[in-house]
């Protein structure tokens, strides 16, 4: 496949994922609709600058901007550094600072596919309270698997179907953008667990995401109500840094706040 035939379909796919017409994309990129049409059909080849203009108009993540450049025959310009490498030293320090300041509440750092890259002591304490084996890598290696796995938090989430349904809806929305195939693979893994409702396989387009996700945990006489907030790093210029997310857990009532503080005192 030549460069032109690679770039056009990729541009069209990501334009449609963004729910933009050719005219609307042309307006945002300040080019003619005809030029966008020619680029998508391969009748015209983009310059490197035009690729970047279109990527910016589509608000593509850095990884996808590199992919669009490659499809047009240009080298990637956004670096992808190993999180444990020297280039990411200051990012790791910032993440460690945020995790520490979240105490006595829990927080974890995940990548674009919700693989857990780090967690604070508060998160480890909660996992130790509600998991039979808090060191099980099959459960704790990925935040989504931790919620869906039969040996994970699932048996102890009282409103599991509601919480898991909101979570799977978020993953379905993430499949609509660039890189959606790998997120779809994650959804398929979650759906394969026994007892997961069949209707989770279909997105609920009419469902609007809540501002936060509540979770009610109970195991024996231990009870905890939490809500989560997800944040990202601002204006990153590195692919790895852009794809990191911090999921923070906050008590949803005074009793849960007191529970978490007692756990911290015993630690």
């Amino acid at each position: 496949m030549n460069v032109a035939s690679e770039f056009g379909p990729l541009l069209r796919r990501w334009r449609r994922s963004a729910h933009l017409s050719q005219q609307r994309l042309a307006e945002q990129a300040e080019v003619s609709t005809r030029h966008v049409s020619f680029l998508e059909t391969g009748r015209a080849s983009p310059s490197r600058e035009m690729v970047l203009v279109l990527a910016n108009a589509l608000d593509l993540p850095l990884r996808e901007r590199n992919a669009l450049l490659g499809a047009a025959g240009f080298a990637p310009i956004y670096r992808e550094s190993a999180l444990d490498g020297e280039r990411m030293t200051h990012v790791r320090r910032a993440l460690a600072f945020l995790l520490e300041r979240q105490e006595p509440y829990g927080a974890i750092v995940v990548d674009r596919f919700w693989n857990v890259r780090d967690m604070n002591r508060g998160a480890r304490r909660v996992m130790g309270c509600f998991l039979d084996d808090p060191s099980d890598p099959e459960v704790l290696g990925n935040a989504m698997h931790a919620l869906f796995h039969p040996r994970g938090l699932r048996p102890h989430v009282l409103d599991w179907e509601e919480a898991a349904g909101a979570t799977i809806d978020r993953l379905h929305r993430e499949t609509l953008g660039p890189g959606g195939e790998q997120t779809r693979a994650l959804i398929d893994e979650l759906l394969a667990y026994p007892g997961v409702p069949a209707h989770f396989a279909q997105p609920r387009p009419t469902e609007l995401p809540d501002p936060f996700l509540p979770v009610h945990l109970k195991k024996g006489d231990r009870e905890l109500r939490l809500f989560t907030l997800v944040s990202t790093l601002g204006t990153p210029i590195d692919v790895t840094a852009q794809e990191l997310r911090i999921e923070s857990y906050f008590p949803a009532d005074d009793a849960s706040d007191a529970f978490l503080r007692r756990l911290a005192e015993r630690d």
Side-chain angles (χ1 to χ4, degrees):
M1 183 178 288
N2 59 40
V3 167
S5 60
E6 288 181 354
F7 178 81
L10 190 58
L11 176 63
R12 182 185 304 110
R13 173 187 158 199
W14 287 344
R15 172 179 62 77
R16 289 175 175 172
S17 293
H19 304 289
L20 294 177
S21 65
Q22 287 185 344
Q23 180 179 353
R24 183 58 180 155
L25 175 58
E27 291 172 353
Q28 294 185 184
E30 298 183 347
V31 297
S32 69
T33 303
R34 182 183 182 187
H35 188 53
V36 171
S37 176
F38 278 20
L39 289 173
E40 289 191 356
T41 59
R43 296 179 65 184
S45 297
S47 66
R48 180 175 177 273
E49 291 71 22
M50 179 53 62
V51 174
L52 294 175
V53 166
L54 291 168
N56 186 63
L58 290 166
D59 195 26
L60 292 180
L62 301 186
R63 181 182 298 276
E64 279 63 48
R65 296 185 189 214
N66 280 344
L68 198 61
L69 284 164
F74 301 106
I77 64 173
Y78 299 104
R79 185 176 59 232
E80 182 177 1
S81 306
L83 184 56
D84 58 357
E86 183 178 354
R87 291 182 180 274
M88 298 289 281
T89 298
H90 294 293
V91 171
R92 291 197 305 276
R93 287 176 181 169
L95 293 172
F97 177 88
L98 293 172
L99 292 182
E100 178 64 27
R101 294 306 183 275
Q102 179 67 10
E103 291 284 348
Y105 311 140
I108 62 174
V109 178
V110 296
D111 62 22
R112 72 193 302 223
F113 301 117
W114 300 91
N115 297 308
V116 177
R117 306 303 299 271
D118 200 0
M119 68 171 61
N120 70 352
R121 296 190 306 276
R124 294 184 190 279
R125 288 192 294 268
V126 170
M127 296 301 178
C129 280
F130 290 95
L131 292 181
D132 295 331
D133 182 3
S135 63
D136 188 345
E138 186 177 341
V139 173
L140 284 184
N142 183 280
M144 296 300 171
H145 284 282
L147 178 61
F148 279 77
H149 200 294
R151 296 197 309 271
L153 294 172
R154 177 176 166 183
H156 311 298
V157 179
L158 295 188
D159 49 355
W160 181 82
E161 187 164 337
E162 180 181 353
T167 298
I168 209 81
D169 283 341
R170 177 163 62 187
L171 289 177
H172 278 302
R173 289 191 295 272
E174 291 178 4
T175 66
L176 299 177
E181 295 86 352
Q182 289 166 282
T183 303
R184 165 52 61 186
L186 173 59
I187 291 175
D188 290 341
E189 292 173 0
L190 301 179
L191 294 174
Y193 285 129
V196 174
H199 65 82
F200 279 10
Q202 300 300 322
R204 296 180 295 177
T206 59
E207 293 289 326
L208 295 177
D210 293 326
F212 56 81
L213 177 63
V215 178
H216 185 183
L217 295 165
K218 185 173 176 60
K219 183 180 182 183
D221 60 351
R222 304 167 185 168
E223 191 165 0
L224 186 60
R225 289 179 171 85
L226 301 171
F227 67 89
T228 65
L229 295 177
V230 178
S231 53
T232 58
L233 300 177
T235 60
I237 57 173
D238 186 281
V239 173
T240 301
Q242 185 184 58
E243 293 176 349
L244 293 174
R245 308 182 229 193
I246 305 167
E247 188 163 70
S248 304
Y249 304 90
F250 295 90
D253 55 33
D254 291 342
S256 297
D257 190 11
F259 178 85
L260 293 173
R261 293 184 183 278
R262 287 196 301 271
L263 282 182
E265 291 171 359
R266 299 170 190 165
D267 192 1

